[in-house]
């Protein structure tokens, strides 16, 4: 999705995409459904945030949707070596 201002997000491993190219969406809209594609072993979502063509850590975009305790737990898990939320 192109969010403007140089921001894009990528959602991979979807079983179904529910939006069309160029369609306007807003927060909370369903854009697709979690799937298990490629070499994955279980349904999951691969999520990337891209700013001006460079991938950036998406963890900073979860803060408003989590309690402080949930955010701290996510930071802790994400800092573990070989940890992937993919």
């Amino acid at each position: 999705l192109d969010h403007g201002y140089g921001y894009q997000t990528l959602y991979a491993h979807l079983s179904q995409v529910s939006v069309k190219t160029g369609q306007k969406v807003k927060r909370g809209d369903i854009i697709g459904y979690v799937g298990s594609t490629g070499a994955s072993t279980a349904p999951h979502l691969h999520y990337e945030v891209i700013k001006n063509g460079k991938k950036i850590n998406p963890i900073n975009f979860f803060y408003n949707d989590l309690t402080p305790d949930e955010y701290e737990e996510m930071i802790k898990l994400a800092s573990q070596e070989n940890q992937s939320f993919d």
Side-chain angles (χ1 to χ4, degrees):
L1 297 177
D2 185 344
H3 300 274
Y5 307 99
Y7 284 95
Q8 297 174 306
T9 49
L10 179 131
Y11 304 82
H13 301 295
L14 297 176
S15 66
Q16 179 182 342
V17 176
S18 301
V19 295
K20 295 181 180 3
T21 300
Q23 180 179 337
K24 300 242 186 237
V25 296
K26 64 185 182 317
R27 186 182 185 104
D29 286 352
I30 294 173
I31 59 170
Y33 295 89
V34 173
S36 181
T37 62
S40 70
T41 58
H44 69 287
L45 174 68
H46 177 97
Y47 172 71
E48 293 181 5
V49 176
I50 302 148
K51 170 72 171 161
N52 296 325
K54 294 183 72 174
K55 294 177 186 178
I56 61 174
N57 190 342
I59 195 123
N60 299 312
F61 297 90
F62 289 108
Y63 185 76
N64 289 332
D65 297 319
L66 302 173
T67 67
D69 289 339
E70 290 171 330
Y71 183 76
E72 288 300 319
E73 181 66 16
M74 183 172 289
I75 294 290
K76 181 178 148 187
L77 290 171
S79 68
Q80 293 176 5
E81 196 166 315
N82 294 321
Q83 176 64 43
S84 172
F85 290 111
D86 185 17

